[in-house]
Amino acid sequence: MELEPYPLGTGYVIDGNDSHNIKTPVDGNVHGHEEIRENLSPPSTAANVVQQWNHPRSNMWRVFAAFFSMVVSGLNDASYGALIPYLESYYGLTYTVVSLAFLSPFAGYTIASLINNTVHMKFGQRGISILGPACHLLTYLVLSFHPPYPVVVLVFVSAGFGNGLTDAAWCAWIGNMANANKVLGILQAFYSLGATFSPLIATTMITKAGLPWYYFYYMMVGVSVIEFGTCTWSFWHKTSVQFRLENPRESDNKGGRTREALSNKVTWMCSFFFIGYMGAEVALGGWIVTFMIRVRSATPFSSGISAVGFWAGMTVGRAILGFVTEHFGERLSVTVYLIIAMCLELIFWLVPQFIVSAIAVALLGCFLGPLFPAGIVMSTKILPRHLHVSAIGFATAFGGGGGAVFPFAVGAIAQAKGVQVLQPIILALLVVISAVWLMLPRIKKREENRQEEASLPTS
């Protein structure tokens, strides 16, 4: 049986050979020791220990559970676009009203951004692993009964809350690991994998099997049950006590960590980057089916496949380009990806042929894919460790609001101007996030190599 190292005191190890003299609490007063550690800075001789995805061995099961959780989030997010045309006809809705399906998760993401750190501090990752999947399960159970549309809109708030909790928690945790670009790229690739299969499954069930739209959520109930079981089991021992020990405060600020994170300008810059990025991603993935049907005159099935191509490209980009990003660095790599993405968006917009549009949107997904994990890794390198969960949790969950607001805006404007307004909106978002990215503070080369060096074995 493998013993998992206890996160002694501050989550740091002391240089030298006297680590055997460090003792863990034996008097049962865990909370007393916890409060002391919360208010102490690490000693000057401390060296940061970076976890690896496969060490301790229990991390492997947690990483796999996080991967599956991201598959569920991807299945959820990409289903909106595939189901929009059928929700529209089933309930007899306009573009604006049906777009509320995109907007309502914003409330859930907003709540998640504000309480993510509180859940960690009170319940640890165990709390996230229970609450997030439970929100998914509740959402899909209600939708499987195809309730009135106002209930559909309301229950999507629960889905947004669950996604906001799990996405932010898993990204902040894995973003602190050794080789974070690679592992986080794979984590986000699993999100894209779920998003790839979501429109394919939904479109096939509706157009080929002739099933009603809500049959898709029968499947989602099953996968969310698996998510709940795997996450709860693997993170059960990751309590609030352990979270506080692994993430000690590194400043003299006595206020809450969320408040401290919100006072840091990097938190807001990252938030705006993620808002723009997730707005472009979800708006494009959400309206591509309708765009292809109405503007490119494609069949419903072909339009659904074009959405599959977009998410498949994103999966490949996150899985492969993460290694490129690791080699050349986040700042240069993301800048190049954004330039290529803007060129592909222009092709998608200006060449009025379905085949060209389908190829362009698949490649667009490929180069948009690595932006999110690279943004997370950049955040971990700029921000102090004790703010990672608060700041990254807020930035990603708040950014998820962009994935709700901008698709809704596209639908509202499309009601008056037509769905072709999708293209200039996407291009504008790419220009904005490029500007925000270039404004992020620079980090020294030694900081870029910090995690890899800390993960080297010691003798």
Side-chain angles (χ1 to χ4, degrees), residues 7 25 115 194 235 247 273 315 438:
I115 73 167
F235 285 97
N247 297 272
F273 177 80
T315 304
L438 294 175

Side-chain angles (χ1 to χ4, degrees), residues 190-214:
F190 273 94
Y191 170 89
S192 301
L193 185 65
T196 300
F197 282 103
S198 183
L200 178 62
I201 294 170
T203 302
T204 301
M205 290 175 71
I206 296 171
T207 63
K208 299 300 182 181
L211 298 172
W213 63 269
Y214 50 84

Side-chain angles (χ1 to χ4, degrees), residues 149-374:
Y149 191 68
V151 178
V152 172
V153 173
L154 184 63
V155 80
F156 278 148
V157 175
S158 175
F161 180 66
N163 275 16
L165 285 179
T166 56
D167 192 11
W170 307 153
C171 286
W173 176 53
I174 291 180
N176 279 307
M177 288 185 177
N179 302 313
N181 265 307
K182 299 174 184 177
V183 184
L184 197 55
I186 296 173
L187 175 76
Q188 291 298 322
F190 273 94
Y191 170 89
S192 301
L193 185 65
T196 300
F197 282 103
S198 183
L200 178 62
I201 294 170
T203 302
T204 301
M205 290 175 71
I206 296 171
T207 63
K208 299 300 182 181
L211 298 172
W213 63 269
Y214 50 84
Y215 270 58
F216 174 79
Y217 288 104
Y218 295 163
M219 178 201 72
M220 292 300 290
V221 168
V223 297
S224 61
V225 168
I226 297 174
E227 178 196 19
F228 182 86
T230 54
C231 287
T232 301
W233 172 75
S234 58
F235 285 97
W236 184 256
H237 297 291
K238 301 294 283 185
T239 62
S240 61
V241 173
Q242 191 163 9
F243 173 77
R244 289 172 182 260
L245 296 175
E246 291 176 347
N247 297 272
R249 187 181 294 277
E250 297 177 7
S251 71
D252 296 329
N253 193 318
K254 301 301 181 183
R257 297 189 185 194
T258 300
R259 181 178 299 178
E260 185 180 351
L262 294 181
S263 66
N264 191 310
K265 68 176 183 178
V266 175
T267 301
W268 288 101
M269 294 179 72
C270 292
S271 297
F272 286 116
F273 177 80
F274 291 133
I275 285 174
Y277 168 76
M278 296 177 75
E281 174 194 284
V282 180
L284 193 55
W287 285 101
I288 185 174
V289 174
T290 303
F291 178 86
M292 292 297 195
I293 292 174
R294 305 286 170 82
V295 181
R296 296 292 185 256
S297 302
T299 65
F301 184 75
S302 298
S303 301
I305 294 301
S306 66
V308 173
F310 171 74
W311 292 110
M314 188 162 287
T315 304
V316 172
R318 285 176 169 173
I320 295 178
L321 292 180
F323 293 87
V324 177
T325 306
E326 187 84 19
H327 181 75
F328 290 102
E330 293 81 22
R331 183 175 295 274
L332 174 62
S333 299
V334 169
T335 302
V336 173
Y337 299 153
L338 281 166
I339 292 172
I340 296 174
M342 286 186 280
C343 292
L344 289 167
E345 173 56 30
L346 284 171
I347 294 173
F348 183 26
W349 181 9
L350 300 176
V351 181
Q353 295 180 10
F354 171 72
I355 296 298
V356 175
S357 296
I359 295 174
V361 82
L363 292 173
L364 186 57
C366 182
F367 287 99
L368 286 177
L371 301 188
F372 188 86

Side-chain angles (χ1 to χ4, degrees), residues 60-81:
M60 293 176 60
W61 302 111
R62 294 178 187 129
V63 168
F64 293 154
F67 285 173
F68 188 78
S69 180
M70 294 300 286
V71 170
V72 177
S73 294
L75 287 167
N76 176 85
D77 289 353
S79 66
Y80 299 152

Side-chain angles (χ1 to χ4, degrees), residues 77-127:
D77 289 353
S79 66
Y80 299 152
L83 296 176
I84 280 291
Y86 309 104
L87 290 173
E88 185 181 354
S89 60
Y90 184 85
Y91 289 106
L93 306 172
T94 63
Y95 276 149
T96 303
V97 177
V98 78
S99 296
L100 290 173
F102 290 115
L103 185 61
S104 61
F106 175 66
Y109 275 109
T110 302
I111 297 170
S113 70
L114 297 175
I115 73 167
N116 188 285
N117 185 68
T118 301
V119 174
H120 276 86
M121 297 296 284
K122 291 186 178 296
F123 306 106
Q125 288 176 304
R126 176 199 288 179

